[in-house]
């Protein structure tokens, strides 16, 4: 028998248990790359569960938080319906600075597999901040850039840094998304060199440095190429902006580009935003402060490269602001922001293919992707581009987001510690092909360094929510705050993680430039050694059967208007364990759940059915089957149907 105190504890904790359960529905979308797609829009437009009506502290909140072995700077990625170890799971892929990759069940937080790229016993460790003379990344340095997933080959590509017996290495890993095993003969050690006389060169050759070069920008996968880039940490010289491509199937190096081969700096960091790619296989990125001459030096520029081949990238075009020298001398990197490729306009438009970007200066640039504009020497403005909006922002770090004619920019000024609002601008209103010169709405709140990179969830052109993760107190100080706003009117905040009573939804410490991942009715937040999931506290809509595994949870929610019942899939219940079965809601009284195995052995109820508010019943059952088997099942039946909920938990 279970002690009476345990029964009361279980009753009191039911609300917490329900919040952890989710109906077995099909996921709407995969998130396989930084900011959702190669255009870097930051938008999930197939979100059918979360809406502005239910994203509030009554219906929405923290579901679980799971510890991982290091800080998470990379955006978590998401795949639906992955078969792992004989079960089908929605999976969250998490890369840490401890050089680990986790596959987590995105609905229960269970670890499905975990791989590590270090071996301290053999002196293979992560890189320490002391090794690079910089503490920008807290504690240790392992995996920083957001990986990328190829769904056709079930592969996640990860760029990891290690220190091995005093030497430094960076490797590209191709990991099986199902098993966690290395693929395609990987990993491969990164090496590169170009001709050049720039900082750190020797005899007319410039070698890529695995110790000083830091990969920050999110990886890009397009047309079978895995494209990645490097900058520095803390501007520790000598460094350069490097871009490399590796074949996705063979891991052979295909192309190398250096943006300052005869000068210095020009790092590609974009506050973690990803390289952008268009349908023609071109790659776009922005560079930070560095040397510039418009021939082979491209500090503070937007660069367009063609498809890699013959171990090189063809430089197709570039844009450099007229005041590049001022930007460089004032540490106002253009490349603090990442490019966003806007949706194509009709073919008759003056500029059907456009790109938007803002950097530390706070100028918004709208640029023709077919002709970036290059550099206007001696000009007082960039009249050769489509549009620029001076003073629009305090400054940008990371990429803006786009949804349904709205452009969203996070904003702050690092150099003066100036907070700013997150702002929405209209794009192509009335067929103008331009961005509104003033924001159409903005958040009441302002945000300090490191600002926020917006993300959007929506169901097509409706139910838009703008998600912001405030990491203003990062690196050990507390705490992150997740915000949700009406994406059509940022003056209307829907939710934040500090609203619920008793700190129910509160987050822990964060890290710089992390971006929330929204998929299948949940929002995933990366932080300092943890992943936290948010979603509807009472699941909504659809489903079929619940499925439980040993020491796991399951739930089913039915909102149809007819009487119904559910039966779980088979699950193993070890002898002596307790299963809690709850059936009903505040509107109805449902039948007492029954639990039995296929041999007809009914499990004995422990204690009494506990009445809850509104006629709910909480029944607790003891596993009478002395052997335990995989044929146990639970059935919940009701005669009316209004938001009926069945929850079962092995405890």
């Amino acid at each position: 028998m279970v002690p009476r105190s345990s029964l009361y504890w279980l009753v009191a904790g039911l609300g917490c248990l329900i919040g952890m359960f989710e109906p077995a529905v099909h996921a709407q979308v995969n998130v396989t790359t930084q900011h959702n797609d190669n255009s870097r829009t930051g938008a999930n437009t197939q979100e059918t569960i979360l809406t502005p009506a239910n994203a509030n502290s009554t219906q929405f909140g923290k579901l679980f938080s799971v510890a991982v072995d290091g800080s998470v700077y990379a955006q978590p990625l998401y795949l639906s319906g992955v078969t792992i170890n004989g079960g089908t799971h929605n999976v969250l892929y998490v890369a840490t600075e401890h050089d680990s990759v986790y596959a987590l069940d995105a609905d229960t937080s269970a670890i499905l597999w975990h791989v590590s790229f270090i071996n301290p016993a053999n002196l293979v460790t992560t890189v320490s901040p002391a090794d690079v003379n910089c503490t920008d990344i807290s504690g240790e340095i392992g995996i920083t850039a957001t990986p990328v997933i190829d769904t056709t080959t079930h592969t996640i590509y990860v760029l990891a840094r290690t220190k091995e017996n005093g030497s430094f290495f960076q490797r590209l890993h191709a990991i099986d998304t199902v098993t966690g095993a290395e693929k395609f003969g990987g990993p491969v050690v990164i090496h590169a060199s170009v001709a050049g006389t720039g900082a750190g060169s020797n005899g007319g050759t410039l070698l890529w440095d695995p110790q000083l070069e830091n990969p920050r920008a999110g990886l890009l996968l397009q047309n079978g190429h895995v494209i990645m880039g490097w900058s520095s940490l803390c501007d520790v010289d000598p460094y350069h902006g490097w871009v490399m491509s590796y074949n996705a199937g063979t891991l052979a190096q295909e192309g190398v580009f250096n943006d300052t081969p005869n000068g210095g700096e020009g790092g590609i960091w974009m506050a973690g935003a990803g390289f952008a790619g268009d349908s023609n296989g071109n790659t776009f990125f922005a560079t930070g402060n560095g040397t510039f001459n418009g021939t082979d030096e491209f500090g503070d520029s937007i660069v367009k490269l063609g498809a890699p081949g013959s171990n090189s990238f063809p430089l197709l075009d570039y844009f450099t602001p007229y005041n590049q020298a001022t930007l460089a001398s004032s540490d106002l990197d253009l490349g603090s922001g990442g490019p966003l490729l806007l949706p194509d306009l009709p073919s008759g438009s003056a500029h059907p293919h456009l790109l938007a970007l803002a950097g530390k200066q706070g100028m918004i640039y709208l640029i023709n992707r077919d002709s970036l504009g290059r550099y206007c020497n001696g000009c007082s403005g960039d009249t050769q581009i489509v549009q620029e909006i001076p003073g629009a922002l305090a400054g940008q770090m990371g990429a803006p987001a786009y949804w349904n004619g709205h452009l969203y920019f996070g904003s702050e000024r690092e150099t003066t510690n100036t907070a700013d609002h997150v702002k929405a601008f209209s794009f192509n209103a009335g067929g103008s092909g331009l961005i509104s010169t003033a924001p159409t709405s903005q958040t009441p709140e302002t945000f300090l360094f490191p600002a926020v990179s917006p993300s959007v969830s929506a169901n097509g052109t409706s139910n838009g929510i703008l998600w912001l993760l405030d990491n203003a107190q990062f690196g050990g100080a507390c705490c992150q705050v997740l915000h949700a706003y009406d994406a059509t009117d940022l003056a209307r905040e829907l939710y934040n993680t500090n609203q619920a009573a008793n700190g129910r939804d509160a987050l822990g410490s964060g890290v710089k430039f992390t971006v929330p991942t929204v998929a299948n009715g949940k929002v995933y937040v990366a932080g300092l050694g943890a992943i936290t999931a948010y979603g509807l506290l009472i699941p909504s809509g659809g489903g079929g059967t619940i499925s439980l595994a040993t020491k796991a949870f399951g739930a089913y929610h039915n909102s149809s208007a007819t009487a119904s019942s559910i039966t779980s899939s088979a699950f193993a219940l070890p002898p002596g364990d307790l299963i809690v079965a709850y059936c009903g809601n505040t509107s109805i009284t449902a039948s007492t759940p029954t639990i039995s195995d296929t041999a007809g052995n009914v499990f004995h109820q422990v204690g009494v059915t506990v009445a809850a508010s509104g006629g709910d019943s909480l029944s607790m059952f003891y596993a009478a089957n002395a052997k335990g088997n995989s044929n146990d099942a639970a059935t919940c039946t009701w005669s009316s149907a209004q938001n009926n909920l069945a929850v079962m938990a092995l405890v």
Side-chain angles (χ1 to χ4, degrees):
M1 297 290 289
V2 176
R4 181 178 177 85
S5 60
S6 297
L7 291 176
Y8 280 111
W9 182 89
L10 287 167
V11 173
L14 180 64
C16 295
L17 289 173
I18 292 174
M20 296 180 68
F21 305 148
E22 189 67 30
V25 298
H26 293 291
Q28 288 78 29
V29 69
N30 293 326
V31 180
T32 62
T33 192
Q34 198 276 339
H35 236 199
N36 293 77
D37 50 50
N38 285 0
S39 295
R40 309 305 179 189
T41 64
N44 167 9
T45 59
Q46 300 178 62
E47 177 53 59
T48 60
I49 297 175
L50 298 176
T51 71
N54 61 30
N56 57 68
S57 59
T58 300
Q59 297 168 271
F60 180 88
K62 184 188 292 186
L63 302 179
F64 60 77
S65 186
V66 57
V68 292
D69 63 10
S71 298
V72 183
Y73 284 73
Q75 181 179 343
L77 303 177
Y78 180 99
L79 290 180
S80 62
V82 182
T83 301
I84 298 178
N85 297 328
T88 301
H89 307 265
N90 298 324
V91 183
L92 195 71
Y93 296 90
V94 178
T96 77
E97 294 292 349
H98 197 61
D99 269 328
S100 286
V101 179
Y102 289 83
L104 304 176
D105 187 302
D107 300 316
T108 70
S109 80
I111 298 175
L112 303 172
W113 55 254
H114 165 223
V115 296
S116 173
F117 303 139
I118 61 173
N119 186 346
N122 290 325
L123 301 181
V124 179
T125 66
T126 55
V127 177
S128 76
D131 291 324
V132 293
N133 196 27
C134 176
T135 58
D136 266 4
I137 294 179
S138 177
E140 59 184 338
I141 305 164
I143 303 168
T144 307
T146 299
V148 66
I149 293 175
D150 186 345
T151 57
T152 62
T153 64
H154 313 292
T155 308
I156 180 169
Y157 297 92
V158 181
L159 184 55
R161 302 184 64 173
T162 55
K163 182 179 181 181
E164 304 174 18
N165 292 290
S167 298
F168 297 90
F169 293 87
Q170 297 189 32
R171 289 181 174 87
L172 176 62
H173 297 260
I175 303 297
D176 192 304
T177 56
V178 174
T179 67
E182 295 275 2
K183 300 178 65 174
F184 310 135
V188 294
V189 177
I190 305 295
H191 293 289
S193 65
V194 296
T197 59
S201 64
N202 185 5
T205 298
L206 187 63
L207 292 175
W208 174 83
D209 187 336
Q211 180 178 1
L212 293 182
E213 294 288 344
N214 187 61
R216 187 62 186 99
L219 276 59
L220 170 68
L221 173 68
Q222 66 172 355
N223 298 338
H225 310 295
V226 181
I227 297 169
M228 63 202 82
W230 286 263
S231 181
S232 73
L233 286 165
C234 293
D235 287 327
V236 176
D237 288 314
Y239 73 92
H240 301 261
W242 291 82
V243 185
M244 299 183 205
S245 175
Y246 285 76
N247 184 282
T250 66
L251 302 187
Q253 190 180 84
E254 302 173 307
V256 176
F257 176 83
N258 185 295
D259 63 23
T260 54
N262 297 302
E265 303 189 348
I268 303 161
W269 64 288
M270 304 189 296
F275 285 81
D278 68 12
S279 58
N280 294 320
N282 301 313
T283 299
F284 299 83
F285 59 92
T287 69
N289 299 333
T291 53
F292 170 76
N293 61 15
T295 303
D296 56 16
E297 308 294 307
F298 295 101
D300 288 303
S301 300
I302 298 172
V303 178
K304 176 181 179 180
L305 301 180
S310 301
N311 209 35
S312 66
F313 274 106
L315 173 67
L316 300 184
D317 205 355
Y318 72 93
F319 162 72
T320 307
Y322 76 97
N323 60 341
Q324 184 274 333
T326 299
L327 299 182
S329 64
S330 303
D331 191 29
L332 293 174
D333 306 56
L334 180 69
S336 69
L340 186 157
L341 309 188
L342 290 160
D344 292 350
L345 300 181
S347 58
S349 304
H351 307 292
H353 308 124
L354 292 167
L355 174 156
L357 179 140
K360 284 186 184 179
Q361 184 186 18
M363 178 95 74
I364 295 177
Y365 300 92
L366 183 65
I367 296 172
N368 178 6
R369 300 202 310 263
D370 300 324
S371 179
L372 298 186
R374 307 211 167 193
Y375 176 66
C376 188
N377 190 17
C379 295
S380 59
D382 297 304
T383 57
Q384 79 279 25
I385 66 173
V386 177
Q387 185 185 13
E388 61 183 17
I389 308 173
L393 312 168
Q396 167 85 27
M397 292 193 179
Y402 173 83
W403 171 71
N404 196 32
H406 303 275
L407 265 169
Y408 305 94
F409 289 87
S411 181
E412 62 80 37
R413 177 64 62 84
E414 175 195 19
T415 53
T416 58
N417 199 32
T418 301
D420 198 4
H421 308 270
V422 174
K423 300 173 182 179
F425 295 79
S426 66
F427 169 65
N428 196 37
S432 67
L434 301 174
I435 300 171
S436 63
T437 56
T440 55
S441 68
Q442 63 183 29
T443 61
E445 295 78 16
T446 59
F447 299 88
L448 283 166
F449 180 83
V452 290
S453 290
S455 295
V456 181
S457 67
N459 184 8
T461 58
S462 63
N463 289 332
I465 301 174
L466 187 77
W467 300 93
L468 304 174
L469 182 58
D470 184 7
N471 293 302
Q473 298 187 56
F474 62 91
C478 220
C479 291
Q480 296 173 297
V481 181
L482 176 68
H483 297 261
Y485 296 87
D486 183 335
T488 64
D489 180 8
L490 299 188
R492 181 184 170 216
E493 185 178 29
L494 307 172
Y495 168 85
N496 72 63
T497 50
N498 289 338
Q499 287 177 343
N502 301 318
R504 182 196 72 193
D505 297 343
L507 281 159
S509 300
V511 297
K512 292 192 298 185
F513 310 132
T514 50
V515 180
T517 297
V518 187
N520 192 26
K522 294 186 178 69
V523 182
Y524 301 94
V525 175
L528 196 69
I531 297 293
T532 305
Y534 292 84
L536 297 182
L537 298 175
I538 296 180
S540 64
T545 61
I546 60 173
S547 178
L548 285 77
T550 304
K551 296 293 183 185
F553 304 95
Y556 171 78
H557 178 268
N558 177 48
S559 57
S560 66
T562 60
S564 188
S565 67
I566 63 169
T567 300
S568 76
S569 302
F571 62 92
L573 186 62
D577 268 22
L578 183 73
I579 184 166
V580 179
Y582 168 88
C583 181
N585 76 347
T586 57
S587 301
I588 64 169
T589 300
S591 65
T592 300
T594 61
I595 300 178
S596 62
D597 61 25
T598 54
N601 300 312
V602 177
F603 296 165
H604 299 294
Q605 184 174 344
V606 175
V608 297
T609 298
V610 181
S613 61
D616 289 2
S617 62
L618 172 62
S619 299
M620 299 182 185
F621 292 84
Y622 187 73
N625 183 352
K627 294 182 178 180
N629 58 50
S630 61
N631 298 314
D632 303 327
T635 300
C636 180
T637 305
W638 53 87
S639 58
S640 62
Q642 296 181 25
N643 298 318
N644 307 311
L645 179 66
V647 175
M648 276 157 277
L650 301 182
V651 296

